[in-house]
Amino acid sequence: MSGTAPGPGRRGQIAARRPHYQDDLRDGLGKFFEPPQSACPWCGSARLFRRLKTTDQLQHKPGTFVLDRCRACGHVFQNPRLSADGLEFYYRDCYDGLGEATMARMAGSPLAVRLYRSRARALLPFGRPARWLDVGTGHGHFCAEAGKIHPGTEFHGLDLGQGVEIAERCGRIDRAFRGPFPLLADQLTARYDVVSMHHYLEHTLAPRRELAAAHRVLCPGGHLLIEVPDPESAAARLLGQWWGPWLQPQHLHLIPLDNLCVALSEQDFTIVAIDRQQPHVPTDLTSAAANLLKSVLPGEDLPWLPAKPGPLARGLRALSLPAAAPALLALLGCDLLLSPVVRRTRLSNAYRVIARRE
């Protein structure tokens, strides 16, 4: 089920959005960024160095984005960070709108379903939760799968976008909350046995505030389940700017495992499980190749680009994509075939932490 009402096709949607985007871009990109930070937002150290400079490889919206790394604690963060205007601009039509159909296909893929089930099974040793809040739930696909593994559990979802409301209408979650988690936490105090954050924390402005919010909404003895990309992954070094989990400009913070564990302890959580194997997403080679391919292909017709591609560019793109498909499928096969080995090494690209609220 789609969350968009029947209306014009994709071309019509692009045409309708173009004037709005061009208005947004008329005065340049400066308003989309905050002033650069001179100190690490995690530990306060001024010992920073540039880890990466890249572009928007997902939507190809204009701009360049810098990730700095702290020499003191290893935290990786976007610097300068997106402003409120920037967050609105770069998230628009990414998970909803023009990007909704693509994200729905990815969320419902067999690979995604396997990851959802792995996350849900990770809580089985800690009992059957009565009520579970999934923060950053999107369209609720994880909750739909988790409900099969935890029958009888009531699943609630929370997110900023309209996807969470679609998830409730579709029956994937029992209740939807739309808005920033730290602002909604006070009305949800001590209501949940489990809070999950799957590839959510890296999108947030202040990760420690999100952890504090999770502590407020959990019942005593409840569990917090977190999965995030691992900035210490060897794949990040090997693949450079093409490594998919950098995902600029959406990812604002990439947190080393030790840093997250210390922050959880400071919030009165006890770490009960750490896993660097099962959370690995076996798409590193495929996503890197796709990012590289999109960087050299002629641009598609997108409302935030200054002009529509001409006939020659459209023709080259139409010919190139089918020609590249077999190579991308072969790389995906390699990713999946190598996954059992890769996930046991430092090439694993994500980690999971389960913490208990004391």
Side-chain angles (χ1 to χ4, degrees):
M1 177 177 177
S2 172
T4 55
R10 183 175 174 85
R11 287 185 180 180
Q13 294 175 28
I14 290 171
R17 285 165 165 77
R18 180 167 277 112
H20 189 187
Y21 274 107
Q22 299 310 314
D23 284 344
D24 288 339
L25 293 166
R26 184 168 291 116
D27 297 326
L29 304 177
K31 64 181 178 181
F32 296 146
F33 295 90
E34 295 179 349
Q37 299 180 66
S38 59
C40 172
W42 195 265
C43 74
S45 172
R47 297 169 56 203
L48 308 178
F49 73 95
R50 179 174 292 183
R51 178 64 181 80
L52 186 75
K53 185 176 182 179
T54 187
T55 57
D56 180 351
Q57 296 172 356
L58 180 63
Q59 290 185 286
H60 299 287
K61 287 183 175 178
T64 56
F65 311 96
V66 173
L67 289 173
D68 280 351
R69 185 177 187 272
C70 175
R71 295 185 188 275
C73 73
H75 187 71
V76 179
F77 63 101
Q78 188 182 81
N79 193 23
R81 193 174 70 181
L82 294 182
S83 64
D85 286 338
L87 289 167
E88 193 282 327
F89 178 82
Y90 288 105
Y91 270 88
R92 193 191 316 158
D93 286 312
C94 184
Y95 298 97
D96 296 318
L98 292 176
E100 181 182 326
T102 299
M103 291 299 173
R105 285 195 300 271
M106 293 173 62
S109 69
L111 174 59
V113 170
R114 286 200 295 271
L115 290 169
Y116 300 152
R117 291 174 179 171
S118 170
R119 294 164 184 167
R121 291 190 187 102
L123 266 295
L124 288 175
F126 306 102
R128 298 281 185 177
R131 188 176 290 162
W132 184 319
L133 177 65
D134 187 41
V135 182
T137 198
H139 287 70
H141 291 88
F142 162 74
C143 294
E145 290 299 323
K148 301 173 185 176
I149 295 169
H150 296 270
T153 297
E154 184 178 336
F155 284 90
H156 296 182
L158 185 150
D159 214 324
L160 291 172
Q162 65 177 355
V164 66
E165 295 166 346
I166 296 170
E168 184 178 32
R169 292 200 298 269
C170 293
R172 299 189 191 110
I173 59 176
D174 297 293
R175 187 169 180 185
F177 297 97
R178 185 174 180 181
F181 186 32
L183 297 184
L184 294 174
D186 285 342
Q187 62 182 274
L188 303 174
T189 300
R191 291 184 58 183
Y192 295 97
D193 302 299
V194 173
V195 171
S196 55
M197 299 175 172
H198 305 127
H199 292 267
Y200 162 80
L201 207 58
E202 63 269 28
H203 292 261
T204 63
L205 292 169
R208 280 192 174 93
R209 289 184 62 203
E210 305 290 334
L211 301 181
H215 190 277
R216 285 201 299 278
V217 307
L218 278 168
C219 300
H223 290 86
L224 172 61
L225 169 62
I226 295 174
E227 280 190 20
V228 288
D230 186 355
E232 298 175 308
S233 168
R237 295 191 296 272
L238 292 172
L239 297 173
Q241 67 171 314
W242 310 115
W243 189 55
W246 292 132
L247 193 61
Q248 290 302 291
Q250 279 82 10
H251 286 179
L252 308 180
H253 296 277
L254 290 107
I255 308 167
L257 174 60
D258 289 346
N259 287 9
L260 181 60
C261 289
V262 170
L264 287 166
S265 298
E266 292 171 349
Q267 295 283 355
D268 198 27
F269 284 100
T270 297
I271 309 299
V272 296
I274 293 173
D275 189 353
R276 267 189 155 127
Q277 295 186 19
Q278 293 304 315
H280 173 67
V281 183
T283 56
D284 276 344
L285 295 176
T286 312
S287 61
N291 287 338
L292 178 59
L293 177 67
K294 288 187 289 185
S295 73
V296 298
L297 281 179
E300 57 183 314
D301 185 13
L302 296 169
W304 45 83
L305 298 181
K308 298 180 183 179
L312 179 59
R314 292 199 303 270
L316 286 173
R317 186 177 181 86
L319 292 172
S320 300
L321 289 175
L328 292 175
L329 287 173
L331 286 172
L332 179 58
C334 289
D335 275 325
L336 295 173
L337 185 64
L338 294 172
S339 177
V341 175
V342 168
R343 69 175 67 250
R344 288 174 169 80
T345 72
R346 291 311 302 270
L347 289 165
S348 177
N349 59 23
Y351 65 81
R352 175 189 299 153
V353 175
I354 301 176
R356 183 177 62 245
R357 181 200 189 280
E358 298 301 350

